[in-house]
């Protein structure tokens, strides 16, 4: 019954977070829905149990100095350094999800026009522009990519070939991109907890701080709902409050009169 389901969630709470509890409850609801359909039970005891509320955390993003240091970290003209520089530049320039990044083929890019085509969640296709630094990094990587694939001719031919490959000439995986980023985060002493999605958050936050329209950011990120994009406004509000506290005379603690008493 529902009491047993709640007791189960309470037991999970000792060692698992609220997201994990929510997934377990969802699995129970689905199981008992099936059991009702085949006649094993008459009611779904998990249906009326409330899903544990997940705290709404602000997305982590990098400051301009941090992102510049990270983008400059891949040094040298070796193919892997050229590849890593192109990966970091493109992630920050486009806000792509890491799965979208590793799924790109050369045919998906119009380097001269500085735009790419990607397929996001739900099979939705969108066009995303990128800037000149990413364009230059991609052009440099094209030379390294050609040299690498000549040594390891794997995969398809021509425009159907993957944009980012490993040392064996095979398409790069999500996990590989995360390891690459971890290496440069350590090298630049950037705060821990930075992952590919952090660059997506940074992309959106810097656009918003630069005055971009929220609807345009939604389109660039490929969000189906504007409410998903709106969480970046909270990050911007934090920045505005910080500026206010530092700049407004009535917000500065140092301006308070010494010895003043409350009335």
């Amino acid at each position: 019954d529902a009491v047993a389901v709640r007791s189960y969630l309470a037991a999970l709470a000792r060692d698992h977070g609220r997201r994990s509890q929510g997934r377990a409850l969802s699995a129970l609801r689905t199981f008992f829905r099936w059991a009702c359909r085949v006649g094993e039970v008459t009611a779904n005891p998990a249906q009326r149990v409330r899903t544990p509320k997940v705290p709404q955390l602000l997305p982590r993003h990098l400051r301009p100095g941090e992102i510049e240091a990270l983008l400059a970290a891949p040094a040298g003209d070796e193919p892997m350094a050229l590849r890593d520089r192109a990966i970091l530049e493109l992630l920050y320039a486009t806000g792509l999800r890491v799965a979208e990044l590793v799924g790109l083929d050369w045919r998906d890019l119009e380097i001269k026009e500085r735009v790419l085509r990607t397929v996001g969640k739900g099979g939705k296709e969108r066009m995303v522009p990128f800037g000149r630094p990413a364009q230059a990094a991609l052009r440099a990587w094209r030379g390294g990519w050609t040299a690498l694939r000549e040594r390891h001719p794997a995969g398809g031919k021509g425009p159907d070939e993957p944009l980012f490959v490993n040392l064996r000439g095979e398409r790069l995986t999500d996990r590989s991109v995360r390891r690459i980023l971890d290496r440069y985060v350590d090298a630049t002493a950037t705060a821990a907890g930075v992952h590919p999605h952090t660059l997506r958050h940074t992309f959106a936050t810097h656009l918003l701080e630069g005055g971009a329209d929220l609807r345009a950011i939604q389109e660039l990120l490929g969000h189906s709902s504007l409410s998903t994009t709106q969480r970046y406004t909270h990050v911007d509000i934090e920045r505005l409050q910080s500026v206010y506290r530092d700049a407004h005379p009535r917000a500065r603690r140092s301006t308070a009169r010494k010895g003043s008493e409350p009335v």
Side-chain angles (χ1 to χ4, degrees), residues 236-256:
D236 199 47
I237 288 170
E238 276 198 340
R239 182 185 63 86
L240 292 175
Q241 287 177 334
S242 176
V243 171
Y244 176 82
R245 286 193 296 268
D246 293 340
H248 196 282
R250 289 292 188 182
R252 298 175 189 166
R253 294 180 180 178
S254 59
T255 59

Side-chain angles (χ1 to χ4, degrees), residues 174-235:
D174 300 27
R175 187 183 297 272
S176 296
V177 174
R178 297 177 200 281
R179 283 199 297 262
I180 289 168
L181 183 58
D182 287 343
R183 185 165 67 247
Y184 293 114
V185 165
D186 291 341
T188 56
T190 306
V194 175
H195 46 76
H197 222 69
T198 307
L199 298 188
R200 180 171 164 87
H201 296 324
T202 303
F203 163 82
T205 303
H206 290 179
L207 279 177
L208 188 64
E209 290 178 349
D213 177 74
L214 204 59
R215 285 285 184 185
I217 298 175
Q218 177 192 3
E219 182 68 23
L220 290 170
L221 291 173
H223 286 160
S224 57
S225 171
L226 185 63
S227 62
T228 307
T229 315
Q230 281 177 330
R231 60 181 174 165
Y232 294 104
T233 61
H234 299 300
V235 179

Side-chain angles (χ1 to χ4, degrees), residues 4 7 26 51 70 99 105 110 135 137 180 186 221 231 243 249 262:
S7 298
S26 177
T51 302
L70 189 62
D105 295 328
E110 297 291 344
Q135 179 190 47
I180 289 168
D186 291 341
L221 291 173
R231 60 181 174 165
V243 171

